[in-house]
Amino acid sequence: MKEVWKGGTLLYPLPAVIVSCGNAAASNLITVAWTGIVCTNPPMLYISVRPERFSHDIILANMQFTVNLTTVAMARATDLCGVKSGRDCDKWELSGLHPYPGVSVECPAIEESPLSLECRVSSVSHLGSHDMIVAHIVDALADDRYLDEETGRFSLEKSDLMCYSHGAYHSVGEILGTFGFSVKKNKNKR
């Protein structure tokens, strides 16, 4: 039997990402768990940010940001960038993360991130406690440590990604199957 609860934000797990914003001269980091892909063609994503957060105004002033995927090794820095405010400290210095120059946007990516998505803001929707910022993904910066030398395939699953679920950070576990495995025909059957 299932209990009926009032509607709430219980859609988990979510990616735990660090969004970098600003420009090369002055940038900030903010941890965001409410993010996801909204369109394939053109490639677009969203982030939801509270208007009172320091990074909110920086993102809207520059109309660009970079979404940086996080790993287990980045767990402490990810949490720190979510609980500290850029109004009061330099999160780059405090977290030990390093800026990587942007390619198509002015804000830096995070060097330690296995994959960084450079984004330009398309629209902002004021939803209540959060503003949903929808953006075009203009570039993806992939760490070459995760490129398979033989096939050239980007093996993001080898980066030890982490996610956020109901107030806690978790490592992403083992591969259970690949897209379409449930309907793939067994080659040994006749």
Side-chain angles (χ1 to χ4, degrees):
M1 178 168 219
K2 292 192 179 194
E3 289 186 27
V4 177
W5 296 350
K6 180 181 174 187
T9 57
L10 295 173
L11 181 62
Y12 291 112
L14 300 165
V17 302
I18 301 176
V19 173
S20 47
C21 56
N23 55 45
S27 62
N28 193 46
L29 302 169
I30 180 175
T31 299
V32 172
W34 294 356
T35 183
I37 297 295
V38 295
C39 189
T40 302
N41 190 13
M44 297 175 76
L45 58 74
Y46 81 93
I47 59 172
S48 289
V49 180
R50 290 181 181 270
E52 62 269 17
R53 295 296 298 262
F54 182 62
S55 294
H56 181 276
D57 290 343
I58 297 171
I59 292 168
L60 296 189
N62 293 285
M63 299 299 282
Q64 60 184 7
F65 57 88
T66 300
V67 172
N68 302 276
L69 297 187
T70 60
T71 65
V72 170
M74 297 171 67
R76 183 182 179 286
T78 303
D79 185 64
L80 186 141
C81 290
V83 297
K84 292 288 190 177
S85 174
R87 286 184 185 95
D88 307 321
C89 65
D90 178 344
K91 292 187 194 179
W92 290 102
E93 184 177 328
L94 199 58
S95 68
L97 297 173
H98 300 91
Y100 185 89
V103 175
S104 294
V105 297
E106 294 179 29
C107 60
I110 297 174
E111 186 175 323
E112 291 80 2
S113 176
L115 185 69
S116 302
L117 304 174
E118 295 186 328
C119 301
R120 292 195 191 282
V121 175
S122 173
S123 66
V124 179
S125 298
H126 309 288
L127 302 176
S129 64
H130 288 68
D131 285 352
M132 180 176 66
I133 303 168
V134 177
H136 290 273
I137 303 168
V138 295
D139 270 328
L141 309 178
D143 190 325
D144 62 7
R145 290 180 294 171
Y146 303 107
L147 291 178
D148 184 291
E149 291 181 19
E150 292 179 22
T151 65
R153 179 183 174 274
F154 183 60
S155 302
L156 185 59
E157 70 277 4
K158 293 180 181 176
S159 68
D160 206 12
L161 291 173
M162 70 175 205
C163 64
Y164 182 80
S165 182
H166 205 55
Y169 302 100
H170 300 267
S171 61
V172 175
E174 67 183 273
I175 295 174
L176 304 176
T178 57
F179 182 76
F181 84 100
S182 64
V183 294
K184 191 174 184 179
K185 294 186 182 193
N186 187 341
K187 291 180 182 178
N188 294 332
K189 284 186 174 182
R190 291 191 184 228

